[in-house]
Amino acid sequence: MYTVEFHAMASPCQVLLPAASEQQARALAQGAIDEVRRIEVKYSRYRDDSVVTAINRAAGGDAVVVDDETASLLHYAGQLHGISGGLFDITTGVLRKAWDFKQARMPAPGQLDALLALTGWHLVERQRTAGVNTVRLPKPGMELDFGGFGKEYAADRAAAKLLEQGVRHGYVNLGGDFHVLGPQLDGTPWRIGIQDPRHDDGTIAAIDVAGGALCTSGDYERYFDHEGKRYCHILDPRTGWPVTAWRSVSVLAPLTAAAGACATIAMLKGEDALAFLASMEVAYLAMDAAGALHRHATC
């Protein structure tokens, strides 16, 4: 087995797969890596030439024509909004402007209220007319942010590229979001460690995965501590304030996009997280704010 490492979406990434040589492994992995980078270029809100930037720049103006892939992702975002009861909302990325997790800066008075007025998935106008897809943000200053599922979608697409080449063992790992193509060569599952949310070099469990996806969402990815309280980057769309009920949630599902979405929605659900995960019929491992572990099925 060979590991091909690369960097994308502000994360360390790797493709692990069997090959006759390192050169062959890199050749096999290149298509998957190219696909990840294609998606990053297309949907990153940090790039002036991305689809997301074009949509955001036009907020308050005319509708923007988008391709079928983008329309499908917007449809998926709408589905996630529905199953989450409105908590998964890709218009709430604008709330990040009130928080600075690098400088440990809290929102200024009134800042969150002003930004919350620019959010709401129900405001997003989507149409398909004569085979042409359009999207419009009606209020100036509104934004879409695909960060809630973009990396996970890229992991699934990268895995699809490898499967097309006949790869049936190994995995894609994009910053801790795993899409497992198949078990190790001897048939045993991969053992993937789950990071301890309070100790960078520790784990809270190891989960065996022979196929499918494993994603973790937590309050330790971007955060700061202030007066004994942790403020993380996962923001409640109803208030603009960080979630506090869970330290981390890890989910096993057939696709990375599904696993990642379920983990994030669970973080947003607070005390209703476990009931939500049960309703989605996924395996999970969750650590609550007190440090207690909750698990279901194979986790």
Side-chain angles (χ1 to χ4, degrees):
M1 302 293 284
Y2 289 89
T3 301
V4 180
E5 298 184 348
F6 63 105
H7 195 272
M9 301 182 173
S11 303
C13 306
Q14 60 182 193
V15 174
L16 187 147
L17 74 173
S21 66
E22 182 176 353
Q23 182 179 12
Q24 185 190 57
R26 290 187 176 279
L28 283 170
Q30 193 59 52
I33 295 171
D34 290 345
E35 182 71 351
V36 172
R37 291 189 168 140
R38 179 191 71 82
I39 292 167
E40 180 176 21
V41 167
K42 187 172 182 178
Y43 295 115
S44 173
R45 61 179 171 84
Y46 298 105
R47 295 181 60 97
D48 287 338
D49 58 349
S50 76
V51 171
V52 169
T53 297
I55 295 170
N56 294 345
R57 189 181 288 132
D62 295 334
V64 175
V65 175
V66 297
D67 65 359
D68 287 345
E69 181 181 36
T70 304
S72 294
L73 289 174
L74 289 170
H75 177 71
Y76 183 57
Q79 291 180 311
L80 296 179
H81 183 266
I83 65 172
S84 68
L87 293 176
F88 193 106
D89 188 331
I90 67 170
T91 70
T92 58
V94 71
L95 297 174
R96 72 184 182 281
K97 295 181 178 180
W99 297 90
D100 188 332
F101 294 100
K102 291 183 178 179
Q103 302 298 323
R105 189 195 74 211
M106 304 280 281
Q111 190 176 15
L112 281 175
D113 287 339
L115 292 172
L116 284 168
L118 299 175
T119 67
W121 174 253
H122 66 284
L123 298 173
V124 179
E125 300 170 8
R126 292 179 294 139
Q127 291 188 355
R128 182 176 176 86
T129 305
V132 177
N133 306 298
T134 61
V135 59
R136 179 176 180 268
L137 304 180
K139 294 184 178 182
M142 282 189 74
E143 293 183 6
L144 297 183
D145 185 347
F146 284 19
F149 58 75
K151 184 152 58 73
E152 294 84 354
Y153 171 65
D156 287 333
R157 289 297 309 143
K161 291 293 184 182
L162 293 169
L163 289 168
E164 288 172 5
Q165 298 179 85
V167 179
R168 294 295 182 267
H169 301 274
Y171 56 75
V172 175
N173 172 16
L174 302 187
D177 292 330
F178 287 83
H179 187 123
V180 177
L181 299 160
Q184 300 186 54
L185 291 173
D186 64 2
T188 59
W190 300 99
R191 174 150 285 199
I192 300 174
I194 304 300
Q195 183 175 326
D196 187 326
R198 294 298 179 267
H199 300 93
D200 291 344
D201 58 350
T203 59
I204 57 174
I207 297 176
D208 290 340
V209 186
L214 174 65
C215 292
T216 300
S217 184
D219 69 359
Y220 58 89
E221 295 158 323
R222 279 181 287 145
Y223 72 93
F224 62 84
D225 293 318
H226 178 67
E227 296 181 351
K229 185 175 181 179
R230 176 162 296 202
Y231 296 85
C232 76
H233 76 288
I234 303 173
L235 305 177
D236 188 322
R238 297 166 295 190
T239 65
W241 285 85
V243 299
T244 58
W246 301 92
R247 294 184 183 180
S248 73
V249 179
S250 299
V251 173
L252 274 171
L255 293 174
T256 322
C262 284
T264 298
I265 292 170
M267 290 288 294
L268 291 163
K269 280 284 188 178
E271 63 182 17
D272 297 324
L274 300 186
F276 165 75
L277 292 170
S279 73
M280 298 304 294
E281 299 182 347
V282 293
Y284 63 82
L285 173 70
M287 176 179 280
D288 63 28
L293 287 177
H294 307 258
R295 66 176 71 211
H296 176 69
T298 58
C299 281

